[in-house]
Amino acid sequence: MRGNILYIVVPCYNEEEVLNETTKQLKEKLNNLIKEKKVSSKSKVMYVNDGSKDKTWELIKQIDKKESLFTGISLSRNRGHQNALHAGLMTAKEYADIIISMDADLQDDINAIDEMIDKYNEGYDIVYAARSARKTDTFFKRFTAEAFYKFMHFMGVDIVYNHADYRLTSKKVLNSFSEYGEVNLFLRGMFPLVGYKSEIVYYERKERFAGKSKYPLKKMLNFAWDGITSFSIKPIRMILFLGIGIFIVSIFVLLYCLIMKIIGNTVSGWTFIVCSIWLVSGLQMLSLGLIGEYIGKIYNETKRRPRYIISENLLDTK
Ligand code: UDP
Ligand code: MG
């Protein structure tokens, strides 16, 4: 039987309006899980204060004092959802065997936790919770979010469709994950890279019960852009293909110009100018793409991602 101390990591940025309700619901859930002996009584909820400007941290400190099942850490300033989550995960893995990350606004159904823990006990190390329906999201949010997943897929990034950052990971996974040295975090794209046995469970996403979304359109676009540029050098490769394309077209333009010249259908100097423009811009694009390829290689090297992760070593068991 694997260890069963559960830590639920919850990043919070200006969440004073929701924290008390969240605490109430998570407390009930965790107590039930402990009663059913699904998780150890040493389990906890860990709030990560991401440099909130309101009373969030004071609230977390109060909750920590009152409730034995709750604890918290605070970042020195606002570092964004992904960094806050990362900080929480890396801290929690020192105390826990099972770590679940979720948002403070309880949009993710906490009842999915039972199934996630069941999957963990069946031997899965990563359990992704994915949204089965987006009934409560506005059309705009749903459309942009779903287009994003499809586009990411097209860009060659391996992410779980409709999965945000609601997931269970074992201590083992997080220990391997800590070897990923990159600074631009896009967690939902990184966990599939780590590997191990994984499974998906589905839940219905609810509405935020209080407070406003901390992900306005600008942050969402930034996040999507980070996801693409942190995982894919396809955009660079497109420059190269564009260069090759223009170069091929320029050969036809060259032929066309020569024919026009021979027929005498031109003003003086026209052939030279048109040919130069096409040839030179094709060559430029081609060289840019070529340089880009090298930059892409450098970029991947600087991330210093681990080359491999050993999931089991039979020598250890002897
Ligand atoms: N969050 C954070 N730092 C930030 C922005 C958001 O820790 O700079 C947290 C926030 O408190 C919440 C989670 O990230 O727990 C998701 O944010 P939100 O619910 O606003 O996003 P949405 O559900 O609208 O995508
Ligand atoms: Mg939310």
Side-chain angles (χ1 to χ4, degrees), residues 82 86 126 128 157-159 167 177 180-195 230-231 305:
Q82 298 288 296
H86 188 243
I126 307 186
Y128 302 101
V157 186
D158 182 18
I159 52 174
R167 84 176 77 73
F177 184 75
Y180 284 72
E182 56 216 78
V183 180
N184 291 301
L185 289 178
F186 184 71
L187 297 175
R188 65 190 73 166
M190 290 167 74
F191 279 99
L193 290 181
V194 181
S230 302
F231 275 86
R305 283 183 179 162

Side-chain angles (χ1 to χ4, degrees), residues 97-135:
D97 305 304
I98 318 168
I99 296 94
I100 292 180
S101 53
M102 66 187 308
D103 291 351
D105 54 14
L106 297 186
Q107 279 186 289
D108 310 316
D109 185 4
I110 60 171
N111 294 317
I113 291 179
D114 301 67
E115 204 184 335
M116 289 162 92
I117 305 243
D118 289 345
K119 294 283 177 209
Y120 168 82
N121 285 329
E122 281 168 30
Y124 293 98
D125 279 292
I126 307 186
V127 185
Y128 302 101
R131 293 155 199 178
S132 59
R134 280 178 173 270
K135 277 183 225 138

Side-chain angles (χ1 to χ4, degrees), residues 81-303:
H81 177 216
Q82 298 288 296
N83 288 310
L85 196 52
H86 188 243
L89 293 176
M90 289 302 122
T91 314
K93 81 176 169 58
E94 303 302 323
Y95 307 92
D97 305 304
I98 318 168
I99 296 94
I100 292 180
S101 53
M102 66 187 308
D103 291 351
D105 54 14
L106 297 186
Q107 279 186 289
D108 310 316
D109 185 4
I110 60 171
N111 294 317
I113 291 179
D114 301 67
E115 204 184 335
M116 289 162 92
I117 305 243
D118 289 345
K119 294 283 177 209
Y120 168 82
N121 285 329
E122 281 168 30
Y124 293 98
D125 279 292
I126 307 186
V127 185
Y128 302 101
R131 293 155 199 178
S132 59
R134 280 178 173 270
K135 277 183 225 138
T136 58
D137 279 348
T138 59
F139 172 76
F140 179 73
K141 175 109 189 176
R142 194 167 65 214
F143 178 77
T144 48
E146 284 178 356
F148 169 67
Y149 287 104
K150 293 203 174 114
F151 187 65
M152 290 296 282
H153 200 73
F154 169 74
M155 282 291 175
V157 186
D158 182 18
I159 52 174
V160 177
Y161 190 67
N162 267 343
H163 158 71
D165 283 306
Y166 187 19
R167 84 176 77 73
L168 175 151
T169 42
S170 68
K171 190 192 195 88
K172 187 162 84 178
V173 168
L174 290 181
N175 279 334
S176 305
F177 184 75
S178 62
E179 312 250 319
Y180 284 72
E182 56 216 78
V183 180
N184 291 301
L185 289 178
F186 184 71
L187 297 175
R188 65 190 73 166
M190 290 167 74
F191 279 99
L193 290 181
V194 181
Y196 294 111
K197 257 179 93 173
S198 69
E199 180 60 297
I200 304 175
V201 301
Y202 292 92
Y203 68 95
E204 266 188 40
R205 184 163 159 101
K206 290 182 280 197
E207 221 153 337
R208 202 178 229 282
F209 65 87
K212 273 207 282 292
S213 171
K214 310 296 182 289
Y215 263 105
L217 183 63
K218 191 170 149 231
K219 260 196 192 168
M220 243 161 64
L221 286 177
N222 267 336
F223 184 56
W225 186 241
D226 253 1
I228 294 160
T229 52
S230 302
F231 275 86
S232 165
I233 55 167
K234 249 195 182 171
I236 291 179
R237 209 150 274 166
M238 280 176 188
I239 302 178
L240 191 64
F241 288 139
L242 204 67
I244 295 172
I246 293 178
F247 201 70
I248 292 171
V249 174
S250 77
I251 294 170
F252 288 104
V253 174
L254 222 75
L255 281 174
Y256 171 78
C257 289
L258 276 178
I259 293 167
M260 284 300 155
K261 173 102 182 154
I262 291 163
I263 298 173
N265 211 354
T266 57
V267 286
S268 98
W270 178 81
T271 317
F272 182 68
I273 289 176
V274 173
C275 289
S276 314
I277 289 175
W278 277 89
L279 259 176
V280 173
S281 45
L283 270 176
Q284 267 179 352
M285 200 61 96
L286 206 69
S287 335
L288 261 182
L290 206 64
I291 294 171
E293 275 293 305
Y294 285 93
I295 294 181
K297 295 255 151 55
I298 296 171
Y299 166 73
N300 278 332
E301 290 293 336
T302 50
K303 280 207 281 251

